[in-house]
Amino acid sequence: MTAAENVCYTLINVPMDSEPPSEISLKNDLEKGDVKLKTEALKKVIIMILNGEKLPGLLMTIIRFVLPLQDHTIKKLLLVFWEIVPKTTPDGRLLQEMILVCDAYRKDLQHPNEFIRGSTLRFLCKLKEAELLEPLMPAIRACLEHRHSYVRRNAVLAIYTIYRNFEHLIPDAPELIHDFLVNEKDASCKRNAFMMLIHADQDRALDYLSTCIDQVQTFGDILQLVIVELIYKVCHANPSERARFIRCIYNLLQSSSPAVKYEAAGTLVTLSSAPTAIKAAAQCYIDLIIKESDNNVKLIVLDRLVELKEHPSHERVLQDLVMDILRVLSTPDLEVRKKTLQLALDLVSSRNVEELVIVLKKEVIKTNNVTEHEDTDKYRQLLVRTLHSCSVRFPDMAANVIPVLMEFLSDNNEAAAADVLEFVREAIQRFDNLRPLIVEKMLEVFHAIKSVKIYRGALWILGEYCSTKEDIQSVMTEVRRSLGEIPIVESEIKKETGELKPEEEVSVGPAQKLVTEMGTYATQSALSSSRPAKKEEDRPPLRGFLLDGDFFVAASLATTLTKIALRYVSLVQEKKKQNSFIAEAMLLMATILHLGKSSLPKKPITDDDVDRISLCLKVLSECSPLMNDIFNKECRQSLSHMLSAKLEEEKLSQKKESEKRNVTVQPDDPISFMQLTAKNEMSSKEDQFQLSLLAAMGNTQRKEAADPLASKLNKVTQLTGFSDPVYAEAYVHVNQYDIVLDVLVVNQTSDTLQNCTLELATLGDLKLVEKPSPLTLAPHDFANIKANVKVASTENGIIFGNIVYDVSGAASDRNCVVLSDIHIDIMDYIQPASCTDAEFRQMWAEFEWENKVTVNTNIIDLNEYLQHILKSTNMKCLTPEKALSGYCGFMAANLYARSIFGEDALANVSIEKPIHLGPEAPVTGHIRIRAKSQGMALSLGDKINLSQKKTSL
């Protein structure tokens, strides 16, 4: 049996640079030194034994000179020493000296100091020798009646472990603990005793619970948690017991402890699917989210609510609680709000949509009054998108929502305004009855729009949907107001040279009489304000955009003017009015062209914009029916096609979601009756407590794929050769934020290898948590060494190292075997994610690290290559399926993924099929990867390079 296989509960970090002391010097210190010296010597002895040294000569010295001491530090160290020291002879019999140790511990169990009694009882939990424990049993029993709770609760633990390991030593333990539990008052002692009964004698635990089931609410939270666990286990194993205990679980939902409420709600959901139970559990979850201040807790409990919603029969119950769920929006954290809004949107129905919209409108108005915070803008965007989705699904709501949202077109935050604009565009196209309302509101806020992008969109909507003569004239008035005095070039030059007086600029008269508060007259002159400030302030918005050199908005304006002019001609019969309106539109376009060619704007007009404005001028001068059709019908049809395609895609994704959730039952499936189910069949259901424990320990049981290559063996890396004196291989187990290396070390020689140490080093963003301790390996023996590596970010990491050892009896230096490198795959940390086109473009512009990968593959089909890249990089394709379908010899797609550390990775695939090289020619092109960190961009590029070369047809 190697040192590594000895049962030991204590881990001690060992500094390796110091020289190990000799046995004689240690013996001397333990015999003749003072307490301080003895303490240091005892520490050294413990470390040497942990390193594989036997030191049999020191056992009697420690019993004679150290064991009688009453110093607390020495007593604590002795507990560690007796735990790790070998207690048996090579043939398995107990050492004679241990009788003396046993007697010393019997005295410690009767010691007046409760700390010494308690820590001795804890130590006894770790002993595995029945002969040592037998003489101590009366003293352990006596400790159950000690005045101090620390001693009593450790006595219960000691009795439990002894009963579990050596039942013959204390066969009446369950009865003893049951009696103890009935009379005990301390919460921690009751909890330990109840815990023991659950595992040792469940019937007694249930009997006790039955006697005090009405007082459960008065118990401490630690005992309540154990009671919840017991009820879950009992009802899981024996469903007929549910009726007996479900009332108790209901009562525990009212517990003062958040942990108990959370566990009770989770248990209630697994035990009963009755609507009242689901409602009570969901209500409990919602209260927890609102009352708990920790955002992580809020997110975890929200996940539980989302899980509840996944069940079709529970969804209807949750729909009634939508308004309660929306109370969570009072949390300032954006992530919590995002999840809450998504959940509310999933649960919304025609019954509660009106209330939901009222709450969301209030929230939107609140964000307007809040002092600007970076998350306020994002929250406003979330609210706008949620309202947008509600209005699309429930068209009756659109009329209530639109007036509130239109106010935000003049918002400083362009992203929120863009979302509103997108919503308005969809609403005005879909809902004919709302068009007059939307056009009216749009004209009201038009002059206040600050962003050029929003301005362009608003112009397009007005140009496309103004259908009456009055609306068309209103649009022209707004455009003239927004453009200022024309011709622009002349008026600007006059302003620069000072020929145009400020009085002429301002619409009010040269002087204005005002009445002050006291009733006297005050005269205000238009000349009082300074001219440069006036010029900046009074410049109308559209004029400002044009003078800044943004002529794309001018092209948009030209299209709008052409559309409304052509529509005006069809509405008004008078030739004079027709010509007058067209002339005004042409004058505006001409003056903008003139401005673009002059030196006044910061940037000159582009050729594209000149072409567009010239085309619009030509269309207006000719007024041909064909152009009328293109401008006034085709544009709207294109929008209609795009919106219907988008709606179809949404419906398809919703259908897929609902198909996933609907549990399909085959006609020949056997019907399972709960009352007729055998006990062993019931156990096939997963135990939630066991699952949560495994998840916390990072041992989540992943369902292995049917392919044997996807099993654990696929992750085993050979570290040394078969002919090396020490053979080593490692299984790389990736948890969320750390990697566990389970290294198997085999001694292939006929010598004993001492101080066999696995030395590891890391490259990249990896960090070794602890240094594996040295081992002693017998001839042809083997051992497992575990090493933990923390991962801080997503990039390819390398772990390398060697195994060093001494051969016993050899005088040579230490031997060393160099290990192969272990490459950590980035794919373990990357998960597919989705984002909007606008977010993708924004991130694409912000991220500074770009990696361009040239396509080098033997795949000949574009779509097949894209699917292969998606599969090998774990990314998600954001480009819709419709845009990728069809065949044109060229394909461009955007991919997106997020790492578990919250890092974003973007990729743009631009590939083509060189037709001139024949049908068998492979795909060519580039993949551009962008990320915030260099490591992410490079690692993803390496992954693509490796996977595209390995492809076989």
Side-chain angles (χ1 to χ4, degrees):
M1 194 187 217
T2 63
E5 289 171 318
N6 276 331
V7 176
C8 174
Y9 303 88
T10 313
L11 296 173
I12 295 172
N13 184 34
V14 188
M16 293 307 292
D17 46 2
S18 55
E19 188 66 34
S22 68
E23 196 171 329
I24 298 159
S25 66
L26 285 172
K27 196 169 186 175
N28 204 25
D29 285 350
L30 291 168
E31 279 182 25
K32 302 193 172 92
D34 56 7
V35 170
K36 197 176 176 188
L37 213 56
K38 284 182 178 179
T39 307
E40 287 305 312
L42 196 51
K43 282 182 184 176
K44 286 174 187 169
V45 170
I46 290 168
I47 287 167
M48 286 173 77
I49 290 176
L50 283 172
N51 281 350
E53 299 287 342
K54 295 288 184 282
L55 306 177
L58 292 178
L59 192 61
M60 207 58 213
T61 309
I62 288 172
I63 290 170
R64 283 175 60 203
F65 298 101
V66 184
L67 197 56
L69 295 176
Q70 292 302 311
D71 182 74
H72 282 202
T73 311
I74 284 195
K75 281 200 173 290
K76 281 171 82 174
L77 285 171
L78 279 172
L79 293 176
V80 177
F81 175 76
W82 294 122
E83 183 190 328
I84 61 169
V85 78
K87 302 172 193 66
T88 52
T89 55
D91 59 356
R93 273 187 282 173
L94 196 69
L95 290 169
Q96 295 296 320
E97 294 90 336
M98 296 313 287
I99 305 299
L100 299 168
V101 178
C102 190
D103 189 54
Y105 281 118
R106 194 173 52 75
K107 286 175 185 163
D108 276 353
L109 286 174
Q110 293 161 352
H111 200 283
N113 183 308
E114 61 272 4
F115 170 73
I116 289 175
R117 275 204 193 197
S119 45
T120 309
L121 284 162
R122 290 187 72 157
F123 157 71
L124 294 179
C125 294
K126 302 171 186 178
L127 281 187
K128 292 281 178 276
E129 287 79 24
E131 300 98 305
L132 279 177
L133 291 167
E134 198 170 355
L136 303 175
M137 292 319 296
I140 296 171
R141 281 171 181 264
C143 285
L144 279 176
E145 289 157 26
H146 193 269
R147 61 185 170 75
H148 203 284
S149 61
Y150 178 69
V151 178
R152 295 200 303 275
R153 72 166 176 261
N154 281 314
V156 171
L157 281 180
I159 287 171
Y160 173 41
T161 43
I162 293 167
Y163 177 76
R164 200 175 53 190
N165 296 328
F166 315 105
E167 195 178 325
H168 64 277
L169 291 180
I170 183 161
D172 61 337
E175 193 183 333
L176 182 71
I177 295 298
H178 182 268
D179 296 342
F180 167 80
L181 185 57
V182 171
N183 301 316
E184 183 54 57
K185 296 286 178 285
D186 181 74
S188 61
C189 298
K190 283 170 92 166
R191 183 250 179 209
N192 284 3
F194 195 71
M195 195 75 174
M196 176 192 159
L197 286 182
I198 289 176
H199 295 288
D201 190 344
Q202 210 174 69
D203 292 338
R204 280 185 199 273
L206 288 173
D207 289 345
Y208 171 73
L209 183 56
S210 302
T211 58
C212 61
I213 202 153
D214 295 328
Q215 290 101 48
V216 163
Q217 284 149 293
T218 60
F219 293 167
D221 56 346
I222 51 174
L223 183 54
Q224 286 179 340
L225 279 171
V226 184
I227 288 171
V228 171
E229 186 179 342
L230 170 70
I231 293 173
Y232 175 81
K233 284 185 173 171
V234 170
C235 298
H236 198 70
N238 188 3
S240 58
E241 295 280 355
R242 286 181 185 184
R244 184 175 160 197
F245 293 113
I246 209 150
R247 175 55 46 205
C248 178
I249 291 288
Y250 268 112
N251 292 341
L252 286 173
L253 288 178
Q254 313 305 321
S255 169
S256 56
S257 159
V260 175
K261 286 169 83 167
Y262 176 75
E263 290 295 353
T267 303
L268 185 59
V269 170
T270 56
L271 297 187
S272 170
S273 54
T276 47
I278 302 302
K279 189 169 185 177
Q283 197 72 59
C284 179
Y285 281 146
I286 294 165
D287 288 346
L288 277 176
I289 300 168
I290 292 162
K291 287 174 185 165
E292 279 300 304
S293 55
D294 189 338
N295 286 332
N296 293 324
V297 173
K298 288 178 191 281
L299 288 168
I300 289 165
V301 182
L302 265 172
D303 280 338
R304 285 293 185 144
L305 277 173
V306 173
E307 275 173 35
L308 272 185
K309 179 209 72 180
E310 295 303 321
H311 200 289
S313 61
H314 298 169
E315 192 169 4
R316 191 166 176 81
V317 178
L318 286 175
Q319 282 176 353
D320 299 334
L321 296 173
V322 166
M323 299 316 291
D324 290 325
I325 290 170
L326 286 175
R327 285 162 56 206
V328 180
L329 291 177
S330 56
T331 309
D333 184 67
L334 188 69
E335 199 60 38
V336 174
R337 285 169 158 179
K338 194 174 184 177
K339 220 168 213 178
T340 307
L341 283 173
Q342 187 55 54
L343 179 61
L345 196 57
D346 289 344
L347 292 172
V348 74
S349 66
S350 52
R351 289 179 296 147
N352 55 24
V353 67
E354 205 165 323
E355 294 170 320
L356 174 77
V357 166
I358 291 167
V359 173
L360 294 181
K361 273 163 65 177
K362 280 181 186 166
E363 285 293 318
V364 168
I365 293 160
K366 260 192 237 169
T367 61
N368 216 10
N369 307 332
V370 173
T371 49
E372 281 304 307
H373 181 263
E374 61 175 319
D375 280 350
T376 310
D377 293 342
K378 289 178 184 170
Y379 180 43
R380 196 177 301 156
Q381 264 179 280
L382 277 177
L383 289 167
V384 169
R385 283 178 193 168
T386 311
L387 282 167
H388 180 171
S389 305
C390 281
S391 304
V392 171
R393 278 167 61 185
F394 304 96
D396 301 350
M397 290 296 111
N400 300 337
V401 173
I402 287 166
V404 178
L405 292 187
M406 293 285 268
E407 301 294 329
F408 287 98
L409 285 175
S410 56
D411 201 79
N412 284 327
N413 175 18
E414 191 181 284
D419 278 340
V420 174
L421 199 69
E422 197 177 305
F423 168 42
V424 169
R425 185 185 69 184
E426 191 167 340
I428 203 167
Q429 171 63 22
R430 282 213 181 135
F431 315 130
D432 294 350
N433 56 327
L434 295 178
R435 281 180 192 172
L437 170 74
I438 295 176
V439 169
E440 184 193 329
K441 290 295 289 181
M442 186 70 89
L443 286 166
E444 275 177 34
V445 297
F446 188 71
H447 67 280
I449 295 173
K450 299 180 182 72
S451 159
V452 65
K453 189 178 165 189
I454 308 305
Y455 205 91
R456 283 202 313 265
L459 271 174
W460 188 90
I461 288 172
L462 286 172
E464 191 64 55
Y465 294 100
C466 282
S467 48
T468 66
K469 189 169 76 170
E470 292 75 19
D471 282 346
I472 290 171
Q473 280 171 335
S474 304
V475 172
M476 183 58 100
T477 311
E478 282 296 337
V479 168
R480 286 296 298 263
R481 180 180 166 191
S482 188
L483 206 53
E485 192 183 328
I486 55 171
I488 301 171
V489 177
E490 280 79 348
S491 62
E492 284 294 322
I493 289 170
K494 278 180 186 174
K495 243 190 254 182
E496 290 298 325
T497 55
E499 287 176 35
L500 191 68
K501 295 282 189 298
E503 294 98 319
E504 292 167 57
E505 267 184 72
V506 185
S507 54
V508 294
Q512 188 181 6
K513 282 187 175 176
L514 300 170
V515 181
T516 63
E517 287 170 2
M518 293 183 290
T520 56
Y521 284 106
T523 305
Q524 185 186 27
S525 168
L527 289 163
S528 60
S529 54
S530 62
R531 268 175 54 211
K534 202 75 183 158
K535 186 181 81 178
E536 288 300 318
E537 279 170 33
D538 281 3
R539 184 183 279 171
L542 188 53
R543 196 188 191 97
F545 298 145
L546 294 175
L547 287 168
D548 286 339
D550 194 332
F551 282 96
F552 188 30
V553 72
S556 177
L557 173 66
T559 310
T560 300
L561 289 172
T562 308
K563 283 179 186 173
I564 60 173
L566 291 171
R567 210 170 290 135
Y568 189 82
V569 169
S570 63
L571 289 170
V572 179
Q573 300 307 314
E574 279 181 62
K575 208 77 181 145
K576 191 178 177 186
K577 281 188 178 175
Q578 285 182 3
N579 290 342
S580 165
F581 195 90
I582 289 174
E584 191 175 359
M586 291 172 84
L587 172 64
L588 293 177
M589 291 186 220
T591 188
I592 288 169
L593 271 177
H594 185 198
L595 175 68
K597 299 288 187 189
S598 71
S599 59
L600 288 173
K602 289 181 183 169
K603 285 185 280 186
I605 192 167
T606 62
D607 291 345
D608 283 349
D609 296 333
V610 170
D611 288 352
R612 184 73 177 168
I613 298 170
S614 307
L615 170 73
C616 291
L617 281 167
K618 190 169 175 9
V619 168
L620 284 183
S621 62
E622 291 173 359
C623 286
S624 71
L626 173 68
M627 285 298 156
N628 199 345
D629 271 6
I630 289 171
F631 271 84
N632 277 335
K633 289 182 187 162
E634 300 287 334
C635 286
R636 200 174 296 187
Q637 267 178 335
S638 301
L639 173 66
S640 177
H641 287 321
M642 188 197 84
L643 290 176
S644 58
K646 195 171 159 191
L647 193 67
E648 206 176 299
E649 206 169 294
E650 277 175 21
K651 277 183 182 167
L652 202 69
S653 66
Q654 275 177 358
K655 192 178 171 190
K656 276 183 189 168
E657 279 295 312
S658 61
E659 276 174 9
K660 257 189 223 171
R661 280 161 50 194
N662 288 345
V663 185
T664 51
V665 182
Q666 300 303 328
D668 55 348
D669 278 358
I671 300 170
S672 62
F673 293 96
M674 197 64 89
Q675 286 80 356
L676 305 177
T677 313
K679 273 191 178 180
N680 55 354
E681 285 174 39
M682 275 302 300
S683 61
S684 64
K685 287 188 177 178
E686 291 165 319
D687 184 338
Q688 294 300 320
F689 280 90
Q690 200 59 33
L691 284 178
S692 58
L693 181 64
L694 286 172
M697 290 160 63
N699 297 338
T700 319
Q701 301 292 313
R702 292 181 187 164
K703 288 187 175 75
E704 298 291 357
D707 176 13
L709 288 175
S711 72
K712 269 187 174 185
L713 294 174
N714 197 28
K715 291 192 174 179
V716 171
T717 312
Q718 190 178 333
L719 301 178
T720 63
F722 291 117
S723 56
D724 282 312
V726 177
Y727 171 74
E729 63 182 29
Y731 165 59
V732 183
H733 179 72
V734 178
N735 289 335
Q736 191 163 3
Y737 296 111
D738 60 349
I739 299 163
V740 179
L741 296 180
D742 192 347
V743 184
L744 171 72
V745 181
V746 183
N747 177 6
Q748 301 200 104
T749 65
S750 303
D751 301 311
T752 300
L753 306 184
Q754 291 183 327
N755 289 333
C756 183
T757 312
L758 174 69
E759 294 180 346
L760 295 173
T762 56
L763 196 67
D765 227 336
L766 304 173
K767 191 172 137 198
L768 199 64
V769 178
E770 58 191 354
K771 203 171 178 183
S773 53
L775 304 171
T776 301
L777 284 178
H780 302 291
D781 195 1
F782 63 88
N784 281 60
I785 305 174
K786 287 197 175 177
N788 274 2
V789 179
K790 282 278 173 215
V791 187
S793 73
T794 316
E795 60 176 85
N796 285 339
I798 299 172
I799 302 171
F800 53 93
N802 47 39
I803 291 176
V804 290
Y805 59 91
D806 296 327
V807 178
S808 59
S812 62
D813 290 338
R814 301 199 81 183
N815 298 289
C816 177
V817 179
V818 179
L819 307 177
S820 304
D821 299 346
I822 302 172
H823 291 265
I824 302 303
D825 191 358
I826 184 178
M827 286 307 106
D828 289 319
Y829 305 106
I830 287 185
Q831 295 161 342
S834 56
C835 65
T836 63
D837 284 352
E839 287 167 344
F840 185 91
R841 286 196 198 96
Q842 190 182 347
M843 286 190 279
W844 188 266
E846 284 173 6
F847 291 174
E848 53 212 36
W849 291 103
E850 177 169 308
N851 187 6
K852 193 173 181 182
V853 179
T854 306
V855 173
N856 177 13
T857 184
N858 46 7
I859 297 176
I860 57 173
D861 181 66
L862 295 175
N863 219 350
E864 190 188 331
Y865 180 75
L866 178 66
Q867 293 308 319
H868 173 72
I869 289 296
L870 291 174
K871 191 178 170 187
S872 55
T873 59
N874 241 1
M875 296 184 92
K876 182 178 179 177
C877 182
L878 298 180
T879 311
E881 194 64 43
K882 276 216 160 70
L884 298 172
S885 58
Y887 187 79
C888 63
F890 175 81
M891 182 186 279
N894 290 338
L895 317 182
Y896 176 60
R898 187 180 281 132
S899 76
I900 57 173
F901 307 104
E903 299 166 311
D904 299 294
L906 314 173
N908 173 260
V909 180
S910 295
I911 48 178
E912 64 176 322
K913 171 92 173 167
I915 298 165
H916 61 281
L917 297 176
E920 293 301 310
V923 171
T924 60
H926 290 95
I927 299 171
R928 288 163 73 201
I929 300 155
R930 284 205 181 177
K932 216 170 205 168
S933 63
Q934 184 186 19
M936 183 86 155
L938 291 175
S939 304
L940 210 49
D942 292 347
K943 183 70 189 170
I944 290 173
N945 264 329
L946 283 170
S947 57
Q948 64 177 359
K949 283 174 187 167
K950 281 182 189 171
T951 310
S952 57
L953 286 169

